[in-house]
Amino acid sequence: MKDVARFRQRQGGILEARGDTAAALTAYEEALRVNPTDVTTMTGLGRLYFAAEDWEKARKIYQSLVLQNIDTESGVTKGEVYWALGKIHLQLGQPPKARSMFQRGLEIEPHNPKLKEALSSLQ
């Protein structure tokens, strides 16, 4: 089944790159059902949910990503995950939680310009 998950994750990435968001979302969601801890799949799903402004689904994915061990080859950093969570909390009308996410991200990546800018915009 891990091979199925890997195939669907790769298929999702190709479909996303081609601009077929709906098919990419289906492929990523199937891959996640088979392998719910795959960082690459979670990142792709989070990106699509974020772009579609499906804030609750995006929040769940990014909160799960915080708990994962993210390596340099995954295409995302912990700081970027916290940035996305902060932006999501802003969209959900939760500025204190957003501030906390930006601050946590800066603890991990103190020189991240997106996190610095996001935190300063709340001041």
Side-chain angles (χ1 to χ4, degrees):
M1 289 306 286
K2 295 268 185 183
D3 289 338
V4 171
R6 191 173 13 264
F7 171 78
R8 293 298 279 162
Q9 180 273 314
R10 288 181 180 161
Q11 186 180 38
I14 291 167
L15 291 165
E16 183 182 2
R18 289 183 178 170
D20 190 347
T21 311
L25 192 59
T26 300
Y28 282 138
E29 286 174 340
E30 185 178 329
L32 189 70
R33 276 191 296 281
V34 175
N35 186 1
T37 60
D38 183 70
V39 172
T40 306
T41 300
M42 294 168 78
T43 301
L45 261 179
R47 204 173 33 247
L48 291 178
Y49 289 148
F50 192 97
E53 298 181 2
D54 191 337
W55 304 122
E56 278 303 320
K57 285 183 179 179
R59 182 185 57 77
K60 288 178 184 175
I61 290 291
Y62 282 107
Q63 283 179 332
S64 294
L65 271 169
V66 165
L67 303 175
Q68 302 301 316
N69 291 324
I70 299 176
D71 61 27
T72 55
E73 297 174 11
S74 64
V76 69
T77 67
K78 279 278 193 188
E80 291 169 339
V81 171
Y82 279 114
W83 174 85
L85 274 170
K87 289 295 191 176
I88 291 164
H89 283 298
L90 284 176
Q91 293 298 321
L92 294 173
Q94 303 166 334
K97 286 184 179 181
R99 179 185 316 279
S100 175
M101 294 298 109
F102 298 144
Q103 288 170 337
R104 285 186 192 174
L106 282 170
E107 288 171 7
I108 296 167
E109 295 177 21
H111 302 293
N112 185 309
K114 285 171 57 174
L115 286 164
K116 286 181 179 181
E117 181 183 324
L119 186 58
S120 69
S121 72
L122 292 178
Q123 309 281 337

